[in-house]
Amino acid sequence: MTRSYLDIFCYIIIFSVLLGCSSRETPAPVVGISSNAPLKDRVKNSIQGAEYTVKKGETLYSISWRANTDVRHIAKLNNISPPYRIFPGQKILLTSKNSKKSSKASHSKTLTKNSTNNSTLTSEKGSEKVLASSKKQAYGKNVRVQKTSKKVAKPSAKFSQKVKRWQWPVRGKVIEYFSNQIQGNKGLNIAGQRGTNIKAAAEGKVVYAGNALRGYGKLIIIKHNDDYLSAYAHNDRILVKEQQKVKSGDVIAKMGDTDADQVMLHFEIRFRGKSVNPLKYLPKKQ
């Protein structure tokens, strides 16, 4: 009798499982392994808007990184001088509130300046005519009057501070390349084994070391000069501290999968706050 009840119970369980499988109308969710984080995390990771409130563990470099802009731009808007110290709860301007007013004012100033310049040129031309006629009267009609030409100084071009030498931060298979698309990968994803040494791609100073940036896991940002930064994400362990100086090739972290779906390194290079293709800077061979 006990056995018959057990058989009936097993039949009920099997029937319930089959019914559940047949009633599914949508497939199970699939997350691609080529992304360093799910798409929703990539979207949430970016900062948009004119103002931002600082959270615990963030720095001005990490905020500018998420906002995809130059740290000097944000520092200038908020009158923050190096080493760019900020605190939780502080409100940071990301764009100028008076940008429209300033553009109108500059346009008005340009019109006024052009008007002034035109009147000055008119008066100068009038003076030249009077001077020419007076010279002709004094020395004859065949006298040529030489006009003095003013040389306009050309604005000096801004040259970028180049990094002497870049090197691959780790050896491994590149599983996702840089993309210029809005939601594309902003660096290189390099697969490897957990605990593999991650090295600094160039000499510089660590300006961020933490895990406050969602989608990057344990992250390191190195400042190489005023123009170039590099980032190393999804680390298992961070071996450097903020403000620490590192040389090219120094071990800074151990490879991991923090905030990622597989063990890998997400590596980025940014020029004046904007993402650039690392392959344009790294040696062709790892």
Side-chain angles (χ1 to χ4, degrees):
M1 190 73 176
T2 306
R3 182 178 179 83
S4 61
Y5 279 119
L6 182 62
D7 292 341
I8 293 171
F9 181 69
C10 291
Y11 289 143
I12 292 171
I13 293 175
I14 294 170
F15 179 75
S16 300
V17 171
L18 292 173
L19 183 63
C21 292
S22 62
S23 62
R24 180 182 292 275
E25 295 180 357
T26 56
V30 177
V31 179
I33 63 171
S34 61
S35 301
N36 64 308
L39 186 60
K40 62 179 182 179
D41 285 350
R42 291 193 188 186
V43 174
K44 288 181 180 178
N45 190 58
S46 61
I47 298 177
Q48 296 179 350
E51 195 175 76
Y52 180 75
T53 303
V54 180
K55 296 179 179 62
K56 186 179 179 181
E58 292 182 322
T59 68
L60 202 64
Y61 278 97
S62 68
I63 291 170
S64 66
W65 189 271
R66 291 176 61 195
N68 200 33
T69 188
D70 195 342
V71 67
R72 291 170 295 180
H73 171 69
I74 298 179
K76 187 177 180 182
L77 287 177
N78 296 276
N79 295 319
I80 302 173
S81 57
Y84 307 135
R85 297 189 184 280
I86 55 176
F87 53 88
Q90 181 179 354
K91 290 186 177 180
I92 300 291
L93 290 175
L94 301 179
T95 58
S96 176
K97 291 183 178 180
N98 299 321
S99 57
K100 292 183 179 179
K101 291 181 180 179
S102 62
S103 61
K104 287 181 180 179
S106 62
H107 180 65
S108 176
K109 286 181 180 179
T110 304
L111 291 175
T112 307
K113 189 176 180 182
N114 290 339
S115 176
T116 306
N117 289 341
N118 289 336
S119 61
T120 305
L121 287 172
T122 304
S123 61
E124 285 178 356
K125 286 180 180 179
S127 302
E128 287 177 358
K129 286 181 180 179
V130 173
L131 181 63
S133 63
S134 62
K135 283 188 176 182
K136 284 179 181 180
Q137 288 177 1
Y139 302 105
K141 294 181 179 180
N142 295 327
V143 176
R144 292 182 180 179
V145 179
Q146 294 182 349
K147 294 182 181 180
T148 56
S149 59
K150 295 180 180 179
K151 292 183 178 180
V152 181
K154 294 181 179 180
S156 58
K158 269 192 173 182
F159 294 99
S160 65
Q161 300 176 8
K162 294 183 179 179
V163 175
K164 291 181 180 179
R165 180 177 173 270
W166 292 95
Q167 74 164 47
W168 284 81
V170 69
R171 291 184 179 182
K173 182 182 179 181
V174 178
I175 55 176
E176 188 175 4
Y177 290 87
F178 176 84
S179 172
N180 279 317
Q181 295 180 2
I182 296 175
Q183 297 300 336
N185 190 32
K186 299 307 175 186
L188 299 176
N189 289 353
I190 308 171
Q193 299 295 321
R194 186 183 302 277
T196 301
N197 288 339
I198 305 298
K199 300 178 181 179
E203 183 180 359
K205 183 173 69 173
V206 178
V207 292
Y208 181 80
N211 59 352
L213 278 72
R214 185 177 179 182
Y216 285 93
K218 292 182 180 179
L219 171 71
I220 297 171
I221 300 176
I222 297 177
K223 175 186 176 183
H224 303 291
N225 53 41
D226 288 338
D227 289 331
Y228 286 97
L229 299 170
S230 62
Y232 314 75
H234 307 310
N235 300 296
D236 185 59
R237 282 194 297 147
I238 294 176
L239 305 178
V240 290
K241 296 179 180 180
E242 290 181 8
Q243 304 305 313
Q244 180 178 333
K245 292 183 178 180
V246 294
K247 294 180 180 179
S248 179
D250 282 355
V251 177
I252 58 174
K254 297 289 184 178
M255 184 181 284
D257 59 353
T258 54
D259 223 347
D261 50 14
Q262 69 177 98
V263 176
M264 65 177 178
L265 170 70
H266 174 73
F267 175 69
E268 292 188 31
I269 294 178
R270 296 211 179 171
F271 174 70
R272 295 177 184 171
K274 303 296 180 182
S275 302
V276 293
N277 189 351
L279 292 180
K280 293 183 177 180
Y281 300 88
L282 297 172
K284 291 183 179 180
K285 293 183 179 180
Q286 291 188 26

